[in-house]
Amino acid sequence: MVYQPAAGARDLLPLDVAQKRWIEDRLEQVFHRWGYHRIITSTLERMDTLMAGEAIVRPMVIQLQNGQNEELGLRPELTASIARTVVTRMEDATHPQRLYYNANVFRRNWEGRHNRQQEYYQAGVELLGAGGLLANGEVLLLVADCLTALDLQGWRLILGEAGITRSLLNAFPPEIRNQVRTAIANLDYITLDTLPLSAELHQRAKIMLDLRGDSREVLEKVSSLHLEPDQHEAINNLKSLVELLDGKFPLILDLSLIQTIDYYTGIVFEVVSDTNSQAKVLGRGGRYDQLLGLYHPQGKNIPGIGFELSIDDLYQILSSNQQLPQDIPTSHWLVVPETADAAAAAFAYAEKLRDSTQLIRVEIELSGSDAEAIRQYASDRSIAQIAWIKADGSSTIEAGC
């Protein structure tokens, strides 16, 4: 029998881990510079937590069952778990809270394809307890700073506004509103043409499909629609955000942008890469001002906004561009006990080397091979120095490679 990982899972070998850590370390440095602190939440959650008030569809979640017949699942994303943690474990914390994570998530594949990936790695942030222009601007500029730290080329940010899009959809009959929403999300002109809508609503749907492109042009188009006062306010807020971000990074305004997770209440966005002439979504996020209220004992709403970046997709792009480390870190020292009774002295010598303010990688020679084989091993592993240790603790140092 050939043993393989479970379907949809994969193993990370040492070089894979080194490359993944290269990405994560650079993102973490950015998060720290912006004042964010790491949070770790449970991989396993109650289903009612994970579904976030039905914003996350049940088939997405890999479900489990415990001995008490309690419905449990593996987290498909981190925001709901962090929202639950903040309102139940950090109720006395001052706001805003700046939190970041680096974790794996699990999503069930219901497409029926064998070995389709179901475990993913993400890094992201949640800014909780702050609303308005400055908080929105901080998160979007933080996204840009992350991608700059990775030296990622050819990316752009697509910005939408879930509140505006949802309110524009309210003009459509309730019984087919979801069909209109899905068609717009998928840029599906054919389906829209077949829906039983009046000429006015058909025109409105087509305008919504075209609300994408240059920010000024999109804002002019949406302003041509019949809008309520709160819609005008949302558009003015969006205009202020666009002006704040002007020239900072490539930005496309897209009021047809609809996320598959439905807890967003304000701005939504996607980070898209055009590397190799193929668009790939590298991350997404948005504002969710009503999510934390689902978990709060008194139903108190706390504003929130955040984003996630896909480590897997960043890895693919950076790897194809040869931007990731091509070797695992090498050891600095190989410590060799010259005789059997020199073992204690060799371990003591290695401990002294490791007891440094800097990271010193030290290996003990374990095979008992002859000197030439040991030197060949050091050369093959690019180990810089070999320490030959006698039983009395004295040493002879030579260059390894």
Side-chain angles (χ1 to χ4, degrees):
M1 178 183 292
V2 178
Y3 290 94
Q4 299 288 351
R10 62 191 179 95
D11 301 317
L12 297 180
L13 302 181
L15 180 57
D16 301 321
V17 174
Q19 293 175 333
K20 178 173 174 285
R21 283 291 302 272
W22 187 92
I23 297 171
E24 293 169 343
D25 288 347
R26 277 152 185 76
L27 294 178
E28 188 173 61
Q29 290 170 16
V30 176
F31 298 154
H32 287 170
R33 285 199 295 267
W34 283 73
Y36 285 71
H37 302 274
R38 186 170 185 180
I39 186 170
I40 299 176
T41 61
S42 174
T43 305
L44 192 65
E45 290 272 13
R46 290 163 50 103
M47 282 296 294
D48 55 357
T49 296
L50 294 179
M51 293 180 65
E54 307 300 324
I56 295 174
V57 296
R58 183 177 287 265
M60 180 188 293
V61 182
I62 297 176
Q63 297 182 50
L64 305 171
Q65 199 102 16
N66 67 4
Q68 288 74 45
N69 292 322
E70 184 179 27
E71 282 193 307
L72 304 174
L74 300 175
R75 61 190 179 206
E77 52 92 58
L78 271 295
T79 302
S81 295
I82 292 174
R84 185 267 306 161
T85 302
V86 168
V87 299
T88 59
R89 303 286 306 282
M90 301 173 64
E91 61 271 19
D92 296 327
T94 56
H95 291 292
Q97 283 291 313
R98 291 178 169 88
L99 306 173
Y100 80 88
Y101 58 85
N102 176 12
N104 54 349
V105 296
F106 305 86
R107 294 178 189 149
R108 183 178 297 283
N109 163 44
W110 55 86
E111 297 176 3
R113 291 171 57 185
H114 182 62
N115 283 344
R116 178 76 170 179
Q117 186 174 347
Q118 297 189 98
E119 181 180 9
Y120 306 85
Y121 292 92
Q122 294 181 349
V125 307
E126 310 293 348
L127 174 56
L128 305 174
L133 175 65
L134 292 181
N136 291 347
E138 173 173 319
V139 168
L140 294 177
L141 290 171
L142 176 51
V143 172
D145 206 0
C146 286
L147 302 178
T148 299
L150 297 174
D151 196 25
L152 188 73
Q153 305 297 316
W155 68 273
R156 65 187 187 278
L157 190 138
I158 300 175
L159 177 64
E161 219 287 355
I164 295 174
T165 305
R166 191 175 291 113
S167 65
L168 292 175
L169 286 169
N170 286 339
F172 297 91
E175 63 272 14
I176 61 171
R177 191 174 297 155
N178 281 339
Q179 292 173 266
V180 175
R181 180 181 186 275
T182 301
I184 290 174
N186 295 321
L187 302 179
D188 187 350
Y189 288 85
I190 296 175
T191 296
L192 279 180
D193 286 339
T194 63
L195 292 176
L197 298 171
S198 66
E200 181 182 353
L201 288 179
H202 269 298
Q203 181 63 23
R204 184 184 187 92
K206 290 178 180 179
I207 290 176
M208 289 184 67
L209 274 171
D210 291 333
L211 294 178
R212 174 187 174 93
D214 177 76
S215 302
R216 183 171 57 185
E217 294 177 3
V218 170
L219 290 170
E220 288 178 358
K221 286 181 183 178
V222 73
S223 298
S224 69
L225 298 170
H226 176 70
L227 301 174
E228 302 296 331
D230 58 337
Q231 293 172 322
H232 277 294
E233 181 182 0
I235 289 170
N236 288 335
N237 291 338
L238 187 59
K239 181 180 179 181
S240 297
L241 179 61
V242 169
E243 291 173 349
L244 177 67
L245 302 173
D246 184 40
K248 300 293 193 301
F249 49 78
L251 176 66
I252 294 174
L253 193 58
D254 183 2
L255 296 184
S256 67
L257 179 61
I258 297 173
Q259 300 285 27
T260 54
I261 295 176
D262 197 24
Y263 49 55
Y264 294 108
T265 57
I267 66 165
V268 291
F269 53 90
E270 292 182 345
V271 177
V272 178
S273 168
D274 288 328
T275 305
N276 300 325
S277 301
Q278 184 177 8
K280 178 186 283 290
V281 177
L282 303 179
R284 49 174 53 91
R287 174 162 290 284
Y288 47 88
D289 287 348
Q290 297 172 7
L291 177 62
L292 274 72
L294 296 176
Y295 307 109
H296 196 281
Q298 287 78 45
K300 178 183 176 182
N301 283 325
I302 298 172
I305 181 173
F307 67 84
E308 57 87 6
L309 293 172
S310 168
I311 301 297
D312 305 272
D313 291 327
L314 288 169
Y315 169 87
Q316 288 183 12
I317 290 177
L318 295 172
S319 179
S320 67
N321 294 338
Q322 299 294 306
Q323 292 177 249
L324 298 177
Q326 300 303 304
D327 299 291
I328 62 173
T330 59
S331 294
H332 301 98
W333 287 86
L334 177 62
V335 176
V336 184
E338 291 193 23
T339 58
D341 59 354
F347 277 109
Y349 191 91
E351 182 178 0
K352 183 178 179 180
L353 289 173
R354 295 187 186 107
D355 188 19
S356 169
T357 56
Q358 297 180 336
L359 173 61
I360 303 295
R361 301 177 187 272
V362 183
E363 296 184 25
I364 296 286
E365 207 290 312
L366 305 173
S367 68
S369 301
D370 61 59
E372 285 309 308
I374 291 171
R375 291 186 178 98
Q376 186 61 51
Y377 173 84
S379 176
D380 292 344
R381 299 292 291 268
S382 299
I383 298 175
Q385 297 184 89
I386 304 173
W388 304 87
I389 310 299
K390 294 181 171 56
D392 62 3
S394 61
S395 62
T396 302
I397 310 300
E398 68 176 78
C401 61

